[in-house]
Amino acid sequence: MQDYKAKYVKYLESHNLLSFATADDKGNPFVRSVEYVNDGPNVYFLTNTTCTKVEHIKNNPNVAYTVDEDLEDWTKIQGIQMRGKALIIGDKEEKKRAIDMLMSKFPQFNKMESTDVEVCIVKIIPRTGIFIDNPSGIGKRYEVHYS
């Protein structure tokens, strides 16, 4: 059997955009797309500190996301469906490392003018998910677990 944790990390490294889901305090879901960088199985993204997703994370850190492709031939689709815990990074060293990784992956961050908008780094620690692998057989899905 293949090492789907390794496939999961490699898949994350080869993509840029994930669909990130949170829920408000009434349990209403909300999904948005964010550009991300990963460090192994952990995912980081930059966001405005006053946005809805940060408010949701502070109230309920349980989140979900997908990374996939929009292919006409769905027999070739691979993707990730993951559940995890989101944290607002406070540690200065980890925050700097995440920002450096984001700037390396997305050079346009280096060209952005500074604004008065306060930003933070969100880290998603994976718990359990599914690696979708249709090229190995239609409907092939492999569970991936992290502690």
Side-chain angles (χ1 to χ4, degrees), residues 17 29 33 38 43 47 59 66 68 71 74 77 83 88 93 95 97 104 117 119 122 130-131 137 141 145:
L17 192 67
S33 298
N38 67 295
V43 170
T47 192
N59 290 325
T66 62
D68 51 30
L71 298 175
W74 49 267
I77 290 176
R83 282 179 247 119
I88 308 301
E93 286 183 31
K95 187 175 182 178
R97 190 169 48 79
S104 177
V117 176
V119 296
V122 174
I130 295 171
F131 186 86
R141 301 162 56 95
H145 298 277

Side-chain angles (χ1 to χ4, degrees), residues 42-130:
N42 297 318
V43 170
Y44 295 89
F45 63 87
L46 183 123
T47 192
N48 182 329
T49 58
T50 60
C51 67
T52 306
K53 59 185 154 297
V54 170
E55 179 184 324
H56 290 181
I57 290 167
K58 287 178 179 177
N59 290 325
N60 180 1
N62 297 308
V63 298
Y65 68 85
T66 62
V67 179
D68 51 30
E69 299 161 59
D70 183 14
L71 298 175
E72 189 172 311
D73 183 352
W74 49 267
T75 65
K76 296 179 181 170
I77 290 176
Q78 289 183 313
I80 294 169
Q81 300 170 342
M82 184 59 68
R83 282 179 247 119
K85 180 179 180 181
L87 308 168
I88 308 301
I89 299 302
D91 179 76
K92 287 183 182 182
E93 286 183 31
E94 184 175 15
K95 187 175 182 178
K96 181 182 179 336
R97 190 169 48 79
I99 289 171
D100 289 345
M101 289 187 299
L102 283 161
M103 291 175 83
S104 177
K105 186 173 182 179
F106 302 103
Q108 58 271 34
F109 277 128
N110 295 305
K111 298 175 185 171
M112 291 176 60
E113 294 182 27
S114 91
T115 66
D116 291 335
V117 176
E118 192 173 333
V119 296
C120 63
I121 298 291
V122 174
K123 176 182 183 178
I124 306 172
I125 302 168
R127 288 189 182 142
T128 184
I130 295 171

